[in-house]
Amino acid sequence: MFKNIEVALKIKEPAQGLSSNQPFFSPDVLKKNLKSHFALALIACLGAAVSLLLLVTIIIVWICQACRKNETTGKTRRRVRRLSTVLFIISVLCFFMLGICLFANEHVNRGMSISINSVINTKKSYQISMAQIDQFQEAALNTTVHLKNLEDTVHVESMKTKNATIVQQIDQILTNITDEIDIIAKNGKLFQAKHDDDIGTLENVRKFLSLYESERWAFLVILLSITMCVLFTGVVAFCKQSKKGAVVFSAIGFFIFVVVWLLISVSLPVTIALADFCRDGDQVTRKNLGNLYETVQFYNTCVPVTTHDNLPLPIASHVALLNNIPASKSQLDRLMEVAFNSSAAITNSSSAVGDDITKLLKLAGAVSSSSSCYVFHDDVVNFYYGTCNQSVAGMSIYLMSILLLGLLLFTLLIVVSKTWNLFSRLPHEYVEVDEDDPFFPRGQNDSTIPVDIYGTHVYNPRTRDRTEPSTNTTSGTADEPIAPLWSQNVSAPLVTNSMTRQPFMSDHPYNNYEDRYN
């Protein structure tokens, strides 16, 4: 009977080709995935080939544009304005795509942070669970020792009694209890041997994800920020219609174009690999997690409840063996009291076994509490959520946006080559003032500046009595009288018998302006 129980509860050996101390992403695992890696490398080469084709196209267009004669005909202002507007619009679209790339990068970082935190929490909970299982296994080993002592004591005391039937029942119950405790001890030892490196596996997963995500996030942020700065200088050159700025932007933008398409070539296979892992990643997970795979699958699919009976099968099996031991121990104590009349040796040995069984029951409760479904379920689900939900969505958005960015940069570099002959060199920002400048003559006082350089004295009564010579800026000549027009006499009338006209505004109060001025 107990032989069959032992066979049924025997823990499976590790899969062939995987040792318990095999490191995460070991070379052996990579060799087995050679075909999938070759496919991903082929996809990366395809992206590199497309980028190389676009790069050759840009170089050919630039050579043709440089060899083109610099014709002055057709260089209308409208054409230059239209070209600068097109370049500005393309640059704005590039800025928009860069913003989406940065958003997607943060989205992926948030998803991976969720997964990393779930691995950390799982590792802590797993350490507590393994510690409880270790204590449970040690208590079972100590119980087997005390049960062996009790068997020896019963064998010695049975020679003193004549009730062979009761002794036979005691021996049967004691053998059953010993076999069950021995199974618990052996299974616990086998379980620890299989899962001894689980903590190290979880730590390797955490280190790999943390290193990969930190390097990936920082690398993309730096490159996208540099690209944004280069685009900003290009926008400034396009707005000023500067030939020098357009040429400098073309030189720097060429290298930015190469960097962006290298990112596309790397991001495409990474995104495909991540999506494929989330769609059908059981084989990869099994190879990398080893004996931990079944435990992870259980906690990922289990339904968390408040009770402690929702446990992985290896743990639940040898914890369940304790269910009948308390009743068997009580029956054993009654039979030994009847058979041996409360012998001191029997009582002491039975008391030690009772204490061990009580301790085993308490540790079984602790193991059930620390290894129950609700302890690990949320962390395992969050790992898949962060990796296969948030990260895949972020990588998809990032891949589409950076692909559009690469195409926009290709268009921008093609169009910007037309500005080499259309844009002109900008003049100096400040023009040196000549010595003969009438508005700001050098080396002279402000008092020598002519007052009437614009002829503002024509209708200004304050300047009419001054003796400064006229600058001949008005329509008048130097031979004209200085007296005001309205003070001059009007020519004689054509008809002698007509009434004599008075001088213009002779009776107006404004005629005495000299008195008022003085």
Side-chain angles (χ1 to χ4, degrees), residues 184-203:
I184 293 174
K186 289 181 178 179
N187 285 340
K189 188 175 181 179
L190 290 174
F191 184 84
Q192 286 181 335
K194 283 187 60 177
H195 298 274
D196 188 39
D197 292 332
D198 289 350
I199 303 298
T201 301
L202 293 174
E203 180 62 20

Side-chain angles (χ1 to χ4, degrees), residues 248-315:
V248 172
F249 172 77
S250 301
I252 303 177
F254 183 82
F255 295 100
I256 294 300
F257 173 82
V258 174
V259 170
V260 169
W261 276 95
L262 285 177
L263 289 178
I264 294 173
S265 301
V266 175
S267 301
L268 182 61
V270 170
T271 305
I272 293 175
L274 184 61
D276 184 68
F277 166 76
C278 294
R279 183 182 62 87
D280 187 16
D282 289 342
Q283 184 178 2
V284 178
T285 307
R286 185 186 296 272
K287 290 180 179 179
N288 293 322
L289 294 182
N291 297 321
L292 188 60
Y293 171 78
E294 295 179 357
T295 304
V296 171
Q297 288 299 107
F298 168 79
Y299 288 119
N300 186 35
T301 57
C302 68
V303 179
V305 292
T306 56
T307 58
H308 297 163
D309 55 352
N310 199 354
L311 300 171
L313 181 61
I315 299 177

Side-chain angles (χ1 to χ4, degrees), residues 327-347:
S328 299
K329 179 63 171 58
S330 300
Q331 184 181 4
L332 179 64
D333 291 338
R334 290 194 299 269
L335 292 176
M336 288 190 299
E337 185 177 357
V338 173
F340 304 112
N341 296 323
S342 301
S343 172
I346 294 294
T347 302

Side-chain angles (χ1 to χ4, degrees), residues 432-444:
E432 293 293 333
V433 180
D434 193 10
E435 294 292 340
D436 298 331
D437 182 54
F439 298 99
F440 189 73
R442 297 196 175 191
Q444 299 180 9

Side-chain angles (χ1 to χ4, degrees), residues 106-353:
E106 293 296 328
H107 201 278
V108 175
N109 181 259
R110 183 178 63 180
M112 296 305 296
S113 298
I114 293 174
S115 298
I116 292 172
N117 290 333
S118 67
V119 172
I120 294 174
N121 295 333
T122 302
K123 177 187 172 183
K124 293 179 180 178
S125 300
Y126 203 79
Q127 285 176 334
I128 296 174
S129 177
M130 291 298 292
Q132 297 294 338
I133 293 174
D134 187 22
Q135 293 181 6
F136 185 70
Q137 188 262 343
E138 289 181 357
L141 289 176
N142 294 330
T143 305
T144 55
V145 174
H146 293 158
L147 285 172
K148 181 63 176 176
N149 295 332
L150 181 59
E151 287 179 354
D152 295 338
T153 305
V154 169
H155 181 69
V156 172
E157 295 295 331
S158 63
M159 297 179 179
K160 301 177 182 179
T161 183
K162 297 180 180 180
N163 197 343
T165 303
I166 298 178
V167 171
Q168 186 178 2
Q169 292 178 358
I170 292 174
D171 185 67
Q172 183 64 36
I173 294 175
L174 191 58
T175 302
N176 294 341
I177 295 175
T178 303
D179 290 340
E180 291 179 356
I181 298 297
D182 188 61
I183 291 173
I184 293 174
K186 289 181 178 179
N187 285 340
K189 188 175 181 179
L190 290 174
F191 184 84
Q192 286 181 335
K194 283 187 60 177
H195 298 274
D196 188 39
D197 292 332
D198 289 350
I199 303 298
T201 301
L202 293 174
E203 180 62 20
N204 290 333
V205 172
R206 185 200 65 80
K207 288 181 179 180
F208 176 80
L209 292 178
S210 300
L211 180 62
Y212 166 78
E213 179 55 27
S214 60
E215 297 295 333
R216 185 202 62 82
W217 179 86
F219 184 73
L220 286 181
V221 168
I222 292 173
L223 288 183
L224 295 178
S225 300
I226 294 174
T227 305
M228 189 173 295
C229 294
V230 173
L231 283 175
F232 181 77
T233 58
V235 169
V236 174
F238 303 150
C239 293
K240 288 186 176 182
Q241 298 177 359
S242 172
K243 179 177 181 180
K244 182 179 180 180
V247 172
V248 172
F249 172 77
S250 301
I252 303 177
F254 183 82
F255 295 100
I256 294 300
F257 173 82
V258 174
V259 170
V260 169
W261 276 95
L262 285 177
L263 289 178
I264 294 173
S265 301
V266 175
S267 301
L268 182 61
V270 170
T271 305
I272 293 175
L274 184 61
D276 184 68
F277 166 76
C278 294
R279 183 182 62 87
D280 187 16
D282 289 342
Q283 184 178 2
V284 178
T285 307
R286 185 186 296 272
K287 290 180 179 179
N288 293 322
L289 294 182
N291 297 321
L292 188 60
Y293 171 78
E294 295 179 357
T295 304
V296 171
Q297 288 299 107
F298 168 79
Y299 288 119
N300 186 35
T301 57
C302 68
V303 179
V305 292
T306 56
T307 58
H308 297 163
D309 55 352
N310 199 354
L311 300 171
L313 181 61
I315 299 177
S317 297
H318 61 265
V319 168
L321 291 175
L322 291 173
N323 294 335
N324 298 325
I325 291 181
S328 299
K329 179 63 171 58
S330 300
Q331 184 181 4
L332 179 64
D333 291 338
R334 290 194 299 269
L335 292 176
M336 288 190 299
E337 185 177 357
V338 173
F340 304 112
N341 296 323
S342 301
S343 172
I346 294 294
T347 302
N348 293 334
S349 298
S350 178
S351 178
V353 172

Side-chain angles (χ1 to χ4, degrees), residues 28 56 148 331 353 371 466 482 485:
D28 294 336
V56 171
K148 181 63 176 176
Q331 184 181 4
V353 172
S371 304
R466 297 185 182 182
I482 302 176
L485 294 176

